[in-house]
Amino acid sequence: MNTKSPNHQITKSLNHSITQSPNSPTCLVLYSGGLDSILACKVLQEQGIHVIALYFITPFFGYKLKGQESISKKKALADHGIQFEKIDISEAYLKMVKSPEYGYGKYMNPCIDCRILMVRKAMKMLGEFNASFVVTGEVLGQRPMSQRRDALRIIERDSGADGLLLRPLSALHLRPTDMENKGLVDRSRLLELTGRGRKDQIALAVKYGIKEYPAPAGGCVLADPILSRRLKRVFELWPDFDVNDCVLAQMGKHFILPDRSWLVIGRDERENAKIVSIIRKGDIKLDLARVPGPTGLWRKMIYSDVNADIAASILCRYTKVKKRSEEVKLSGPGSENIKIFRTVPASDETINKYGM
Ligand code: SF4
């Protein structure tokens, strides 16, 4: 329960002028683009603290940002006055997701380990940005796994951020950090939000003029029931599952063939193009030779004509032109032709048997 309304606190904050002097401390904020992390930035900016937002890229969230950094940076600055830096932690993140010390939440979301990894990374970057502490938009009691009081404490301890991790949205419910004790941060201007409700955050968004923000956890596929089920299965099948595999796992229709190989069929033009963009050595691309249709990617196979025919027939099943048989072209990453199969569309039974 909140004991002090955010409106009261914001009005109080806005009555202070923003005075960022050359001696103002700098902090690194774990920034997801979600409302809580934007608010964390705003609360500190209003104290004149210099905020640098770190946007982490992993195979499971933020990945779309890869290659579009300058557009996103301009948008964050224009929309929210927030300067951000993107940090790609894909390899380390995937390693953690396969074996999180504190386990998974409801789905494949290893929230405590996820936070520890990001805070630890931010701590290591303090010197690079001449910053003195780390900030998150966590709210006590908002999420069942990572935002319980004991979990917040574990995150602080295991990331090596003892005393240097500030949660401005719930600070008044937590013990004062070193920055508050030293007077670098004015504790009286921090907030005391708790719980799962979003009412207070929405009121704060209105006060700060924040109009666009995604749904909470909306960008993390590890908290998605369908994708998590698929990820669990592929981690079991292929322990060496890598970042490129993660990208593939998040698109298309999926099939596991008898040799435990993996067939993915694009569902639209965008996915077909994406499949082509991530094909690599050892993969086989499938296309319909004579009519338009989806693109398929066959991976982790031990090649045999029997399995190739199953893969080709599954691809045929998703062409719009329904004929008794079709030609399917199998080619390697460099477009080298492997084989052309004439095959019939897979039956419902085959689709159900191999579908994931
Ligand atoms: S929902 Fe996803 S991004 Fe958020 S803490 Fe959990 S694992 Fe990390």
Side-chain angles (χ1 to χ4, degrees):
M1 277 287 289
N2 297 336
T3 51
K4 198 189 286 182
S5 89
N7 289 3
H8 165 82
Q9 294 185 39
I10 286 287
T11 308
K12 198 174 141 199
S13 291
L14 290 174
N15 287 339
H16 290 71
S17 58
I18 300 173
T19 49
Q20 192 175 302
S21 78
N23 297 327
S24 296
T26 297
C27 65
L28 299 182
V29 180
L30 265 53
Y31 180 74
S32 64
L35 181 55
D36 292 349
S37 62
I38 299 171
L39 290 173
C41 293
K42 290 287 168 198
V43 168
L44 293 172
Q45 282 176 329
E46 284 208 341
Q47 289 204 19
I49 292 166
H50 181 218
V51 164
I52 297 174
L54 300 183
Y55 194 115
F56 288 100
I57 291 178
T58 78
F60 308 104
F61 52 86
Y63 209 77
K64 286 187 192 135
L65 197 67
K66 253 175 123 76
Q68 298 179 25
E69 291 81 356
S70 62
I71 302 167
S72 316
K73 277 185 181 190
K74 276 186 201 145
K75 186 160 166 49
L77 202 57
D79 291 356
H80 309 303
I82 294 169
Q83 171 198 344
F84 87 76
E85 299 293 331
K86 67 109 201 178
I87 318 289
D88 191 341
I89 54 167
S90 294
E91 299 287 345
Y93 197 88
L94 177 58
K95 197 168 165 216
M96 177 277 291
V97 169
K98 287 181 181 177
S99 170
E101 187 180 347
Y102 293 98
Y104 300 102
K106 193 170 176 190
Y107 300 109
M108 282 290 282
N109 47 315
C111 294
I112 296 178
D113 292 84
C114 167
R115 307 302 293 184
I116 291 170
L117 180 64
M118 290 194 282
V119 174
R120 188 183 292 141
K121 185 76 188 163
M123 285 296 293
K124 285 194 181 139
M125 298 178 75
L126 287 176
E128 189 179 324
F129 290 101
N130 208 13
S132 45
F133 59 100
V134 175
V135 172
T136 72
E138 289 161 313
V139 171
L140 180 65
Q142 185 178 82
R143 300 257 187 92
M145 186 179 195
S146 61
Q147 296 181 8
R148 299 184 320 255
R149 187 177 290 276
D150 60 329
L152 292 180
R153 176 70 198 117
I154 289 169
I155 293 165
E156 184 180 332
R157 185 195 65 205
D158 288 15
S159 61
D162 245 328
L164 295 177
L165 178 56
L166 178 66
R167 282 107 170 187
L169 304 189
S170 285
L172 300 188
H173 288 293
L174 303 170
R175 63 177 188 178
T177 58
D178 293 357
M179 298 70 75
E180 292 154 88
N181 289 334
K182 286 180 193 161
L184 286 173
V185 173
D186 181 353
R187 184 170 172 86
S188 73
R189 296 171 70 184
L190 301 178
L191 307 181
E192 53 183 335
L193 307 189
T194 59
R196 305 187 64 130
R198 304 291 295 162
K199 205 163 60 59
D200 291 341
Q201 281 91 326
I202 290 164
L204 285 158
V206 172
K207 286 283 179 186
Y208 282 116
I210 302 164
K211 294 192 179 74
E212 281 181 39
Y213 46 89
C220 176
V221 301
L222 296 168
D224 177 286
I226 295 166
L227 275 166
S228 327
R229 207 169 42 235
R230 186 182 301 155
L231 285 169
K232 187 166 187 296
R233 179 88 199 278
V234 293
F235 285 170
E236 283 162 6
L237 279 167
W238 307 296
D240 61 344
F241 201 79
D242 62 17
V243 172
N244 184 304
D245 290 326
C246 286
V247 177
L248 185 59
Q250 293 171 55
M251 63 175 120
K253 295 178 188 296
H254 295 252
F255 302 86
I256 305 294
L257 303 195
D259 60 342
R260 290 163 71 98
S261 60
W262 186 17
L263 174 69
V264 181
I265 309 279
R267 289 172 298 188
D268 54 33
E269 289 293 319
R270 193 186 54 83
E271 287 189 345
N272 292 341
K274 194 89 190 276
I275 281 175
V276 172
S277 76
I278 64 166
I279 191 166
R280 65 184 176 192
K281 193 165 181 274
D283 290 343
I284 291 180
K285 181 160 78 78
L286 293 93
D287 296 289
L288 286 144
R290 298 184 185 282
V291 291
T295 298
L297 194 154
W298 189 21
R299 179 170 282 184
K300 302 182 188 293
M301 83 295 284
I302 303 161
Y303 184 86
S304 75
D305 279 354
V306 174
N307 288 328
D309 187 52
I310 296 173
S313 71
I314 292 173
L315 185 87
C316 268
R317 174 69 186 247
Y318 296 102
T319 173
K320 289 195 176 104
V321 186
K322 299 284 176 218
K323 285 213 241 157
R324 281 182 58 81
S325 69
E326 267 311 333
E327 279 186 8
V328 176
K329 187 176 78 169
L330 274 63
S331 54
S335 294
E336 67 271 23
N337 245 7
I338 293 179
K339 206 152 193 170
I340 292 193
F341 274 81
R342 176 160 281 281
T343 187
V344 294
S347 63
D348 287 351
E349 192 191 348
T350 303
I351 295 293
N352 292 336
K353 185 171 174 189
Y354 300 120
M356 177 162 50

